[in-house]
Amino acid sequence: MLTKNTASTQSHWKRYQQVIGVLVKYGFEDVVSHPPFNRFVSVVKNMAPLRDGKSVLQYTRYERVRMVCEELGTTFIKFAQIASNRPDLLPEELIHELTKFQDQALPVSKSKIHRALKKAYKRPLKDFFEHIDYNPLASASIAQVHRARTIGGKEVALKVQRPDISANIEADISILKNLANVIEYYFPQYMAFQPKELVRMFEISIRKELKFTLEAANIIRFQKQFAKHPDVYVPDVYPEYTTNQVLCMEFIDGFKITDLESIEASTGLTGKDLAQKGIGLYFEQVFEHGFFHADPHPGNIFVMKKTGQICFIDFGMMGFILEKDQEHIAELLLAISRQDVQGLKKSFLHFSAGDFFENEEELEQDIVEFFAAYENVTIESLDTDEIFRGLNSLFFDYKIKIPSNLLLLIKAMLIIEGVGLELDPKYNIVKNIDPYASKLLLRKFIPKKLKSDLLKHILDSSKLFTDLPEDISEIIRKIKRGKLHLEFEHKGLEPLTQKMETVSNRISFTLLLSALILGSSWIVAAGIPPLIFNMSVLGFAGFVLSGLLAFRLLYSIIKHGNF
């Protein structure tokens, strides 16, 4: 069951004890009573604690899952946040609990940050910076941000990875993998949640987030996309001061987007203006560039002083959408906006990764009911959060495997709508998304696009016909060499197979029974001893056994109605 060698697991034994202790503390003894965790349970078992005046065991199982993650810290909180992006795998009640986390942490001391910077740069800090302010501007679970000034006089923000965070996360990933193995092996009722897949997804995501050079590359790409846009300001990044553990970027001296009083005084922009401009720029990221900020909460969006330009920060979590998927996402959002049952069903089937649905009619009926709930509601009154929760329920109920980037986009849409409502209480994302989605769908009818698509299809067809003679020759060569293999898959023949097996068994049984009767007759006729009343005992026993077996066969035939 262990995913790493024994020596590696033993090296994390204190963390194992802590994790098991917290799980037992919150009433999950059933999970940790299996190897490799059961050896720790007797050591750490405690009485169930009180939470807000009542025993933790009085809370729901999903609430206790959140409490466990909160108490275990960074890795488990990050895991919960990333898992909350998978409504196709987790039930709505659990998703609701996992979205309650706030990424805040106690600040790291000056001495530890100083050591972390020295380790990252491998040279005296005075060679790089004139001044570093060790009072953090922000402190999160993975890193904290400090203001600094470079030797050249540039005002910068240093995002410094917490000391030892990488090693701690590696240890916790090992524990999460073991927990996933235990849950899938001993608790098949939770297989629908795909715990191994959730851990795999988390491992990929957290490793990316720990590479600050990757975040720097995201900033540079974002900068190129909006280089000529008058309403967007993208901070400069300084690769010469950036490592995997430290990100150095331009210090942004702006207003947090929700500081409406200061923004209006400086730029004249109202909350309604900001909602239209800022969220419009977000739609532009999604529908025009296919590269979007996946965590657009208010703390990550600033308004530049005097110019009123929108500035996004924190590019650690970004989403990507392929050009071919942009149109399908637009179709999905338009289907929701226009309550198009067939359009939404078509989008579901497209994004279900090619899975075959035997219950398409049930899905269609549930979509009809989904839209019926909003039939008499004006678009201004639509509750977008409720709409997306309904979508998530459909994903989960029908096990529709939605691509992770689409799920990331849906969650980002909910966050950005929350920002919009904070800026303008009358803002409605469904109403405002329609023009952008429509524009994207119309783009494929532009002559230049049609010409490009036509040329691509001609080249694909040309390649197909060019390669066809060689492909046919290859098939013939394989046939001649006897190396052509065909695979067949039958469906729906199981009842026939079972019937044929039953018939063949009865025929075999009848042949054996006939042989037993004939053999017994020959023994009796030959008078083979021992004899009782001049009859062979062996022959008589054969007749008795034959009679019993014949009766058993007849009973079976009558019982199953095949007489």
Side-chain angles (χ1 to χ4, degrees):
M1 295 294 293
L2 293 176
T3 58
K4 292 197 173 186
N5 58 51
T6 306
S8 174
T9 303
Q10 289 298 329
S11 69
H12 304 319
W13 72 274
K14 286 186 179 179
R15 182 58 170 165
Y16 266 89
Q17 276 194 313
Q18 184 185 3
V19 171
I20 303 310
V22 172
L23 286 169
V24 172
K25 177 178 171 181
Y26 287 95
F28 292 99
E29 294 98 331
D30 54 336
V31 175
V32 298
S33 62
H34 303 285
F37 307 106
N38 52 343
R39 57 181 148 159
F40 298 111
V41 174
S42 60
V43 180
V44 296
K45 190 164 185 178
N46 298 310
M47 294 291 289
L50 297 178
R51 190 78 174 249
D52 295 332
K54 65 179 182 179
S55 169
V56 295
L57 299 181
Q58 292 180 262
Y59 290 89
T60 68
R61 195 171 182 87
Y62 296 145
E63 287 175 319
R64 287 184 282 128
V65 168
R66 174 178 54 78
M67 293 174 188
V68 165
C69 293
E70 283 175 339
E71 189 156 333
L72 289 174
T74 299
T75 309
F76 286 80
I77 289 173
K78 282 287 180 184
F79 175 68
Q81 289 174 327
I82 292 170
S84 69
N85 294 327
R86 295 307 302 260
D88 55 332
L89 299 182
L90 300 178
E92 181 186 333
E93 296 85 353
L94 180 54
I95 294 286
H96 178 69
E97 289 299 322
L98 299 186
T99 55
K100 292 181 178 179
F101 293 110
Q102 298 294 322
D103 193 8
Q104 297 173 345
L106 294 173
V108 179
S109 67
K110 172 183 174 179
S111 59
K112 288 184 178 179
I113 289 296
H114 183 76
R115 284 198 300 271
L117 288 169
K118 284 179 66 177
K119 183 179 178 182
Y121 289 120
K122 299 181 175 60
R123 281 168 54 192
L125 297 181
K126 64 181 182 180
D127 293 348
F128 299 93
F129 304 102
E130 291 179 0
H131 171 71
I132 298 174
D133 184 354
Y134 286 98
N135 295 312
L137 296 171
S139 184
S141 56
I142 285 181
Q144 63 185 39
V145 181
H146 294 264
R147 188 171 182 174
R149 186 168 55 253
T150 68
I151 293 296
K154 295 173 182 174
E155 293 293 325
V156 299
L158 296 177
K159 183 177 179 180
V160 186
Q161 206 168 104
R162 285 175 172 263
D164 302 321
I165 188 69
S166 183
N168 295 337
I169 286 174
E170 288 299 327
D172 285 346
I173 286 174
S174 174
I175 293 171
L176 282 168
K177 285 182 177 180
N178 286 327
L179 278 171
N181 284 338
V182 167
I183 291 170
E184 289 204 1
Y185 189 82
Y186 291 102
F187 301 91
Q189 66 270 33
Y190 296 126
M191 279 291 289
F193 297 171
Q194 298 186 37
K196 286 184 182 179
E197 168 62 17
L198 287 172
V199 173
R200 186 193 69 80
M201 182 182 66
F202 165 70
E203 185 176 8
I204 293 170
S205 178
I206 199 70
R207 289 194 198 285
K208 287 181 180 178
E209 201 167 341
L210 288 171
K211 290 182 179 178
F212 287 176
T213 50
L214 183 60
E215 183 173 349
N218 289 337
I219 297 173
I220 292 169
R221 176 174 176 176
F222 201 81
Q223 202 170 45
K224 289 178 180 177
Q225 285 181 178
F226 290 98
K228 297 179 181 179
H229 203 298
D231 293 329
V232 180
Y233 188 90
V234 184
D236 284 326
V237 64
Y238 304 108
E240 65 271 29
Y241 299 111
T242 297
T243 72
N244 264 335
Q245 290 77 39
V246 180
L247 172 68
C248 182
M249 59 182 284
E250 177 186 356
F251 176 77
I252 297 300
D253 186 19
F255 302 111
K256 188 177 175 180
I257 196 167
T258 49
D259 186 0
L260 297 179
E261 187 176 333
S262 299
I263 292 171
E264 188 166 2
S266 175
T267 67
L269 293 170
T270 64
K272 186 175 182 180
D273 297 330
L274 289 171
Q276 291 294 331
K277 180 193 284 191
I279 301 179
L281 289 171
Y282 195 79
F283 293 153
E284 196 171 320
Q285 294 175 41
V286 174
F287 295 118
E288 292 191 21
H289 302 293
F291 180 63
F292 62 93
H293 198 296
D295 191 21
H297 64 74
N300 285 338
I301 309 175
F302 283 78
V303 177
M304 302 302 290
K305 293 179 179 179
K306 296 182 180 178
T307 65
Q309 291 173 296
I310 304 295
C311 178
F312 289 87
I313 65 168
D314 193 353
F315 294 81
M317 189 180 294
M318 302 295 289
F320 299 83
I321 301 175
L322 298 175
E323 186 178 352
K324 66 181 180 67
D325 286 335
Q326 284 178 312
E327 293 178 5
H328 294 297
I329 289 172
E331 288 170 353
L332 181 144
L333 295 171
L334 280 176
I336 295 171
S337 172
R338 298 170 183 179
Q339 299 197 8
D340 179 0
V341 174
Q342 292 302 321
L344 187 55
K345 177 184 157 186
K346 180 182 174 183
S347 296
F348 276 171
L349 297 180
H350 170 79
F351 282 117
S352 63
D355 289 346
F356 175 74
F357 281 88
E358 294 182 354
N359 50 355
E360 279 189 37
E361 291 185 3
E362 289 182 25
L363 173 61
E364 187 173 327
Q365 180 60 39
D366 281 346
I367 291 174
V368 170
E369 293 178 9
F370 168 72
F371 282 134
Y374 310 105
E375 191 172 2
N376 298 315
V377 179
T378 62
I379 196 158
E380 289 79 10
S381 305
L382 280 176
D383 184 343
T384 310
D385 188 46
E386 187 178 338
I387 290 174
F388 281 124
R389 281 204 307 271
L391 276 181
N392 292 343
S393 294
L394 288 173
F395 294 156
F396 182 74
D397 292 344
Y398 287 91
K399 304 302 177 214
I400 299 172
K401 296 178 182 177
I402 301 297
S404 58
N405 272 343
L406 176 57
L407 295 170
L408 203 61
L409 174 61
I410 289 175
K411 184 167 185 178
M413 290 286 189
L414 287 175
I415 295 172
I416 203 72
E417 191 210 21
V419 175
L421 289 172
E422 202 168 341
L423 301 174
D424 175 13
K426 295 183 178 180
Y427 183 83
N428 184 278
I429 197 168
V430 175
K431 179 180 179 181
N432 285 277
I433 209 169
D434 199 302
Y436 292 92
S438 299
K439 180 182 175 183
L440 176 64
L441 292 178
L442 288 173
R443 193 172 67 187
K444 62 184 177 181
F445 298 110
I446 296 173
K448 185 178 178 181
K449 174 72 172 170
L450 290 172
K451 181 181 176 182
S452 173
D453 290 344
L454 179 61
L455 181 60
K456 183 179 180 297
H457 291 316
I458 290 172
L459 290 173
D460 288 343
S461 301
S462 174
K463 188 174 185 305
L464 173 65
F465 285 110
T466 302
D467 293 343
L468 188 59
E470 179 60 29
D471 291 340
I472 293 173
S473 298
E474 179 65 20
I475 291 171
I476 293 172
R477 281 195 295 271
K478 285 187 176 182
I479 292 173
K480 287 180 177 178
R481 293 197 301 266
K483 291 186 177 181
L484 183 68
H485 301 286
L486 299 177
E487 293 185 4
F488 293 93
E489 181 182 1
H490 68 74
K491 291 184 178 180
L493 297 181
E494 289 80 4
L496 177 61
T497 304
Q498 292 174 358
K499 189 72 174 178
M500 291 178 67
E501 186 177 348
T502 302
V503 171
S504 62
N505 287 341
R506 286 182 179 175
I507 291 173
S508 300
F509 188 84
T510 303
L511 290 173
L512 288 172
L513 183 60
S514 301
L516 183 60
I517 293 171
L518 287 173
S520 300
S521 300
W522 289 337
I523 292 172
V524 170
I528 295 174
L531 303 174
I532 297 179
F533 301 112
N534 293 323
M535 179 178 287
S536 170
V537 173
L538 292 175
F540 181 75
F543 282 131
V544 173
L545 181 59
S546 300
L548 292 173
L549 292 175
F551 178 77
R552 175 69 182 83
L553 176 62
L554 183 63
Y555 174 76
S556 175
I557 293 171
I558 294 172
K559 180 181 178 182
H560 293 93
N562 296 318
F563 184 69

